[in-house]
């Protein structure tokens, strides 16, 4: 049975590979081999299109001299109580309304954080849905061991 599933999965992948960029194929496997084959048209994909990095990786980017936008997605009172130097504030609940006016370059590198990481993930996904292509989410300020102002 396992060999049949593997053969079927391989056949599906080979067949669909001729579809070019219009189709995405994913195989979810278990200990006995593939257990599920997922095929989705690109328009229907619900893939996460941002990158999760560590706070240390974010700090390396900040120190590298590379251009980036640092985005704090907490609330105003949290931002006022302490934020990473250079961060701009757009609360995660306002990303849909304000991002396109403030973050005008959709290909620019954006580093996103919040308090613990939950809101930054939501904001990063929202930015991706809005067409931003270089979003890096690094969790929360609670894990930030560097300067805060």
């Amino acid at each position: 049975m396992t060999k049949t599933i593997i053969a079927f999965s391989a056949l599906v992948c080979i067949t669909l590979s001729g579809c070019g960029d219009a189709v995405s194929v994913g195989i979810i496997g278990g200990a006995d081999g593939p257990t599920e084959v997922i095929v989705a048209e690109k328009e229907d994909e619900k893939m996460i299109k941002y990158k999760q990095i560590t706070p240390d990786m974010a700090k390396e980017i900040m120190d590298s001299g590379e251009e980036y936008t640092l985005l704090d997605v907490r609330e105003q009172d949290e931002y006022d109580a302490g934020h990473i130097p250079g961060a701009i504030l757009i609360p995660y609940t306002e990303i849909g309304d304000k991002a396109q006016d403030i973050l005008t370059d959709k290909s620019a590198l954006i580093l996103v954080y919040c308090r613990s990481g939950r809101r930054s993930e939501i904001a990063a996904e929202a930015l991706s849905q809005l067409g931003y292509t270089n979003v890096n989410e690094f969790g929360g300020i609670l894990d930030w061991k560097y300067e805060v102002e």
Side-chain angles (χ1 to χ4, degrees):
M1 178 68 170
T2 300
K3 290 181 182 180
T4 303
I5 293 172
I6 293 171
F8 174 74
S9 299
L11 180 62
V12 168
C13 289
I14 292 168
T15 302
L16 293 174
S17 66
C19 296
D21 290 334
V23 174
S24 176
V25 178
I27 299 175
I28 299 173
D32 298 324
T35 57
E36 191 172 349
V37 177
I38 300 170
V39 180
E41 291 185 30
K42 290 287 184 182
E43 295 89 35
D44 296 335
E45 269 187 49
K46 298 289 184 191
M47 293 176 53
I48 295 175
K49 297 179 183 178
Y50 64 90
K51 186 176 178 182
Q52 289 186 311
I53 62 174
T54 66
D56 291 334
M57 293 167 74
K59 178 67 169 153
E60 286 178 25
I61 292 169
M62 293 172 177
D63 292 344
S64 73
E66 184 176 357
E67 285 192 39
Y68 65 90
T69 298
L70 181 59
L71 181 61
D72 187 324
V73 297
R74 299 175 299 158
E75 297 299 322
Q76 184 72 54
D77 61 325
E78 295 173 291
Y79 180 86
D80 292 343
H83 57 273
I84 300 171
I88 62 170
L89 176 68
I90 304 176
Y92 83 109
T93 57
E94 299 175 15
I95 292 289
D97 296 329
K98 294 184 176 180
Q100 294 186 26
D101 292 333
I102 297 170
L103 307 170
T104 57
D105 182 356
K106 291 193 174 187
S107 64
L109 175 58
I110 303 171
L111 304 174
V112 184
Y113 75 95
C114 64
R115 185 184 68 84
S116 66
R118 185 181 70 69
R119 291 176 284 180
S120 57
E121 287 180 359
I122 294 168
E125 177 63 24
L127 289 167
S128 295
Q129 296 280 331
L130 290 170
Y132 292 87
T133 59
N134 198 3
V135 178
N136 288 260
E137 183 272 325
F138 66 94
I141 199 167
L142 292 177
D143 295 325
W144 185 254
K145 57 188 175 192
Y146 307 101
E147 181 183 0
V148 173
E149 59 181 21

